[in-house]
Amino acid sequence: MFCVSISVTLFSSAWAVASYRRKYKTCESDMLVITWPGSVFRLVWRISELGSRIISLALFASLYKYWIFLVISFHWITMCLCVCTSVISSVSGTGFYRIIKGMVAAYVYIFCFVNINRDNAAFRYTLFYIIMFFENATLCAVWMFMVPDVQTGYKYLLIFITASSFFVSVVAMCIYYKFFH
């Protein structure tokens, strides 16, 4: 029952992120329709992205319980700086509203990337996924080398699932943007 609830939660979260459509000021974006293969690749991209991130965070948290909050806080601060300095996305608005919107966007970026702005999207996606790759790899490596009582085959299986999920995420994203966007 526990696995079913985890699967349903992952699927519904990925569906919510995959279904997100930003509104632009031009009318042409309202006329866009994503085909069913595009929807499938977008869903696979988001399920794999969230899955790899959640597994790597859970592996680290299983060993270092409360230290996970330091890791998440460090990532959130990094993303806040990137958002507020327009490295990853330009948050519109002024003053306090811009700061709040940037903090919320940085919170979402703990788990997945949602493109807020059209401009220079390829650079922002690349930067985010490089950061995410190194964070996930570091969390998994720390877990793998520090966990004392787990069978070696089980360790490698969990690392393989996390790495392959991240790889599937990037490939599905590339296919989606190449053929269905």
Side-chain angles (χ1 to χ4, degrees):
M1 189 65 167
F2 182 68
C3 291
V4 172
S5 65
I6 289 174
S7 300
V8 169
T9 302
L10 177 62
F11 182 80
S12 64
S13 299
W15 184 260
V17 175
S19 299
Y20 170 75
R21 304 261 324 215
R22 60 191 175 275
K23 294 286 186 182
Y24 294 116
K25 293 181 182 178
T26 61
C27 294
E28 68 186 40
S29 65
D30 295 334
M31 309 271 286
L32 293 176
V33 176
I34 297 177
T35 62
W36 72 267
S39 296
V40 169
F41 277 103
R42 197 168 173 165
L43 185 62
V44 168
W45 160 29
R46 293 306 186 168
I47 285 175
S48 300
E49 177 184 27
L50 287 171
S52 68
R53 185 63 173 170
I54 290 169
I55 292 170
S56 63
L57 288 170
L59 290 176
F60 185 82
S62 71
L63 194 60
Y64 293 108
K65 312 259 184 263
Y66 299 109
W67 286 98
I68 194 66
F69 295 114
L70 181 67
V71 170
I72 290 173
S73 298
F74 179 70
H75 180 83
W76 181 77
I77 289 169
T78 303
M79 291 296 115
C80 274
L81 292 174
C82 288
V83 167
C84 291
T85 59
S86 300
V87 173
I88 287 186
S89 65
S90 299
V91 177
S92 60
T94 57
F96 187 70
Y97 175 74
R98 183 171 187 253
I99 291 171
I100 295 298
K101 193 174 177 182
M103 291 169 67
V104 170
Y107 174 74
V108 172
Y109 292 167
I110 290 172
F111 300 101
C112 63
F113 184 76
V114 177
N115 194 17
I116 296 174
N117 191 351
R118 279 183 165 174
D119 303 329
N120 206 6
F123 170 75
R124 286 193 306 277
Y125 273 108
T126 303
L127 179 65
F128 178 80
Y129 282 107
I130 287 172
I131 290 170
M132 187 69 73
F133 171 77
F134 283 117
E135 283 184 359
N136 288 352
T138 302
L139 293 173
C140 287
V142 167
W143 175 81
M144 189 171 109
F145 293 119
M146 299 305 283
V147 68
D149 58 350
V150 175
Q151 296 175 346
T152 304
Y154 183 69
K155 281 184 187 180
Y156 290 128
L157 177 65
L158 287 173
I159 299 301
F160 175 76
I161 290 170
T162 306
S164 61
S165 180
F166 186 82
F167 178 74
V168 166
S169 169
V170 172
V171 169
M173 177 189 61
C174 292
I175 291 171
Y176 169 75
Y177 276 108
K178 179 73 175 172
F179 298 110
F180 303 109
H181 184 65

